[in-house]
Amino acid sequence: MDSASSTHSLPPLDAATPEDVSGRFAELRARFDGEAAGASDESSWKTVRDAWAGRKSGVLVQITDTWLKPAKPDLKRAVGQALNELKGYIESALEARRLAIQGAADEAALLAEREDLSLPGVVRPLGTRHPLRQTFEEIEKIFLSLGYTVVAGPEMETPYYNFEALNIPEHHPARDNMDTFYMAAPPGSAPFAGNAQGEPLLLRTHTSPMQVRTMEKTEPPVRIIVPGKVYRRDNPDATHGFMFHQIEGLAVDTDITFCDFAGTVDYFVREFLGPKVKTRLRPSYFPFTEPSVEVDATCVFCGGKGCNVCKQSGWIELFGAGMVDPAVYGFVKYDAKRLSGFAFGLGVERLTQLKYNVNDLQLYYQNDVRFLRQFA
Ligand code: PHE
């Protein structure tokens, strides 16, 4: 823009009468108005100011030098008066313009900084509890309501706690499906302080070692459940994995009968799978319970009528359990003549599978949100 040039050179005053003088000044004023109106920011405003009011070569100074000083005496008064008027006009117009520009800049800055409260905000996706965790919590709640305490134990175990103290001696066939995942012991390290003889360690194959560890440390009565991970030599398929989750249960007191056992198991299954489900106990074998049972429930998919899942039997196997074998009390210095109790080992994957009709155990570990979202 032409007005942005910082100097204007003023032509000589072309005037014979005071009217001519007014005309020249009116022309200048109109030109100034045009330039001032085009100044929309601080830097263009400064350019206009310097061109017109600059102390060295601004138009006002030039008027003094080029028009006023050499003016003929009969026009001098008119030029001086018009110059004063123009000077006052330019100064106040420049100040008004400066304030307007400043105000607009302040407003723009405010607008730029303003928070738009109508914006939708940052959506942080909320996770949900894993289905296995949900089952853990549900089962824990049921047993907490029966007065049980939740305890945890080491995933790395000594053969003594995993086998021997549970009445599974070295060459017992019950070890076959569990004899697995051994590793060198970190000597003397807790919780393996009793392992000074350098016994190898293994990843526990069930949560039952915590029966022994708890009874070693606690006087009866005992009522505990033990949630945790266990490890086996299984190849992964729809119903197996090298790792799965169990919840061990143990109740020992002076007057616990098989009826207490059956009642507790039945109560738990109905609380977990629903009041319509019936249970039955089927003879089984575990070295550390006697008698031992498998707890079956009426099939949750067909209601007991018979279907593919229950292989037309109407019953589904839930978990192993039994009355604590008196031989186990011998390992923890409990009085087997005075005490009795029961134990059970719940498979968390299996119970989750039955409750939510999950047909492949591997789905629990693949972290596919399309699977996990169904449990939100
Ligand atoms: N520990 C057994 C298993 O893992 C289950 C079980 C626990 C059976 C407690 C009886 C009592 O197969």
Side-chain angles (χ1 to χ4, degrees), residues 166 177-178 205-208 211 230 232 244 246-249 286 288-289 292-293 319-322 342-346:
L166 286 165
N177 70 338
M178 297 189 171
T205 60
H206 50 183
T207 41
S208 302
Q211 291 187 29
V230 301
R232 296 217 185 147
F244 61 100
Q246 284 190 332
I247 297 182
E248 190 81 8
F286 300 100
F288 40 93
T289 46
S292 301
V293 301
F319 55 88
F342 58 83
F344 52 86
L346 314 176

Side-chain angles (χ1 to χ4, degrees), residues 232-299:
R232 296 217 185 147
R233 188 181 56 188
D234 284 324
N235 289 320
D237 65 20
T239 52
H240 295 86
F242 65 87
M243 181 280 303
F244 61 100
H245 299 83
Q246 284 190 332
I247 297 182
E248 190 81 8
L250 175 70
V252 178
D253 206 339
T254 48
D255 52 3
I256 293 185
T257 66
F258 194 89
C259 281
D260 297 320
F261 167 54
T264 302
V265 159
D266 189 66
Y267 174 79
F268 160 70
V269 172
R270 284 163 191 270
E271 285 291 302
F272 185 73
L273 289 178
K276 288 207 193 86
V277 172
K278 291 187 175 52
T279 56
R280 75 175 181 192
L281 304 179
R282 206 160 26 87
S284 184
Y285 174 75
F286 300 100
F288 40 93
T289 46
E290 180 59 34
S292 301
V293 301
E294 294 293 339
V295 180
D296 291 346
T298 44
C299 179

Side-chain angles (χ1 to χ4, degrees), residues 7-226:
T7 55
H8 297 298
S9 58
L10 195 67
L13 180 61
D14 176 22
T17 64
E19 288 71 36
D20 293 341
V21 171
S22 302
R24 295 287 89 75
F25 274 93
E27 283 163 27
L28 279 182
R29 182 165 155 164
R31 196 167 150 200
F32 167 79
D33 282 342
E35 289 180 21
S40 54
D41 58 16
E42 201 184 320
S43 95
S44 54
W45 175 85
K46 276 184 177 156
T47 306
V48 175
R49 178 199 62 189
D50 293 346
W52 290 86
R55 283 178 212 286
K56 273 192 192 146
S57 55
V59 172
L60 292 173
V61 171
Q62 290 183 59
I63 292 173
T64 307
D65 293 344
T66 317
W67 287 3
L68 181 64
K69 282 183 186 160
K72 293 189 205 100
D74 58 332
L75 290 181
K76 203 154 205 152
R77 187 185 157 81
V79 173
Q81 225 169 40
L83 173 59
N84 274 341
E85 271 169 31
L86 182 65
K87 193 170 178 228
Y89 177 81
I90 285 180
E91 275 168 2
S92 61
L94 280 172
E95 180 59 10
R97 191 82 205 128
R98 192 185 65 79
L99 291 173
I101 290 169
Q102 179 76 58
D106 287 351
E107 204 167 302
L110 266 178
L111 263 177
E113 281 165 25
R114 199 178 74 172
E115 297 276 359
D116 183 350
L117 298 179
S118 71
L119 284 174
V122 181
V123 178
R124 295 185 199 289
L126 254 198
T128 57
R129 284 170 307 156
H130 191 278
L132 293 179
R133 176 62 38 208
Q134 293 184 31
T135 300
F136 268 120
E137 288 175 13
E138 227 172 293
I139 295 176
E140 284 166 17
K141 210 168 128 199
I142 295 169
F143 283 102
L144 283 170
S145 80
L146 290 174
Y148 285 66
T149 309
V150 182
V151 299
E155 287 174 29
M156 214 189 251
E157 265 299 0
T158 64
Y160 175 77
Y161 286 112
N162 199 79
F163 297 125
E164 271 105 275
L166 286 165
N167 203 28
I168 316 176
E170 182 146 16
H171 296 293
H172 196 284
R175 283 202 190 190
D176 286 356
N177 70 338
M178 297 189 171
D179 232 352
T180 177
F181 293 133
Y182 283 92
M183 58 205 80
S189 57
F192 311 110
N195 195 33
Q197 61 278 43
E199 242 189 325
L201 296 178
L202 77 162
L203 292 176
R204 67 179 175 192
T205 60
H206 50 183
T207 41
S208 302
M210 277 307 285
Q211 291 187 29
V212 180
R213 285 184 180 275
T214 306
M215 286 190 283
E216 268 183 351
K217 281 201 314 228
T218 327
E219 291 293 322
V222 167
R223 269 183 197 78
I224 53 154
I225 56 169
V226 188

